[in-house]
Amino acid sequence: MKVLPRSFYARNTVNVAKDLLGKTLVRKIKGKIVSGIIIETEAYRYKDDPASHAFRGLTERNKVMFGEVGTAYVYFTYGMHYCVNAVARSNTFDAGAVLIRSIKPVKGINEMIKNRKIDLISNLTNGPAKLTQALQITKMQYGEDLTRVSSLFITEGIKTDKISSSPRIGIKNGIDKLWNFKIEI
């Protein structure tokens, strides 16, 4: 289980979003491993991306997007859900992150079922809020270093073939950017 190095995230955010597909998101919960293959991501950059939380500049909420690449940006949305991102950007931009929208469960599926209180595996982690609930990702993982084995990290995974791209989901601005990426596995 090789953890992705910081250099992986120090590249164009859009390229990192594509390259995260097939990688494994790993969560350690009370000594148990819960993980899944990343099958959907979205790229969010900086001043060229009006849909990005960083578009209007640095805030208390988004400050990790301006910090060291390879860390977790976890935010609360709709007053009820968390979403997890990997901070990623080249030195061309001051901020950027990749939203992990969906994973295919691999390890700890029974734990995920317990956390989500559902048993339909196809509906277990097929959305950003669903996967954070299944993996118990909360504000406690905000700023977590994804480049070392900790409570949350990303490792090598499987080879990916065909990547599809489309507009990002649930946004009003920046809909011209085809920065939602998916694979079928």
Side-chain angles (χ1 to χ4, degrees):
M1 176 163 61
K2 184 178 177 210
V3 179
L4 299 178
R6 196 162 317 280
S7 59
F8 176 88
Y9 302 97
R11 302 178 295 125
N12 181 307
T13 309
V14 175
N15 293 338
V16 174
K18 292 176 195 174
D19 292 345
L20 276 172
L21 296 170
K23 303 300 188 261
T24 304
L25 180 65
V26 182
R27 176 83 165 97
K28 284 173 120 178
I29 307 168
K30 298 175 189 167
K32 295 179 184 175
I33 296 288
V34 180
S35 68
I37 302 292
I38 299 170
I39 59 172
E40 184 180 2
T41 61
E42 287 182 349
Y44 290 90
R45 287 203 309 212
Y46 183 42
K47 292 291 184 188
D48 68 332
D49 185 3
S52 174
H53 289 172
F55 181 72
R56 287 184 169 57
L58 181 73
T59 67
E60 189 62 29
R61 178 190 196 198
N62 71 16
K63 67 183 176 184
V64 75
M65 289 181 74
F66 292 83
E68 190 167 33
V69 297
T71 57
Y73 171 41
V74 179
Y75 64 88
F76 200 56
T77 187
Y78 301 119
M80 60 199 319
H81 301 296
Y82 289 100
C83 293
V84 64
N85 298 254
V87 174
R89 67 179 178 283
S90 67
N91 58 10
T92 307
F93 292 95
D94 291 335
V98 176
L99 173 64
I100 301 172
R101 285 197 54 84
S102 185
I103 63 172
K104 180 177 182 180
V106 174
K107 288 186 180 171
I109 294 172
N110 288 335
E111 189 74 19
M112 290 185 212
I113 289 169
K114 185 178 88 179
N115 294 341
R116 290 261 299 119
K117 298 176 179 60
I118 66 161
D119 57 4
L120 184 61
I121 293 182
S122 63
N123 196 31
L124 197 56
T125 56
N126 64 332
K130 293 175 184 180
L131 81 86
T132 56
Q133 186 179 38
L135 275 60
Q136 292 184 348
I137 296 170
T138 68
K139 65 182 176 184
M140 298 304 293
Q141 283 68 51
Y142 182 94
E144 183 99 27
D145 187 350
L146 301 173
T147 67
R148 63 181 183 80
V149 175
S150 59
S151 73
L152 182 66
F153 54 100
I154 301 174
T155 67
E156 289 293 334
I158 61 169
K159 286 272 191 199
T160 58
D161 288 326
K162 187 179 175 195
I163 296 173
S164 64
S165 64
S166 62
R168 294 169 292 181
I169 298 167
I171 61 170
K172 294 177 184 165
N173 300 310
I175 57 175
D176 58 316
K177 299 183 185 314
L178 304 180
W179 290 351
N180 172 285
F181 303 104
K182 294 178 190 170
I183 57 170
E184 297 287 330
I185 57 170

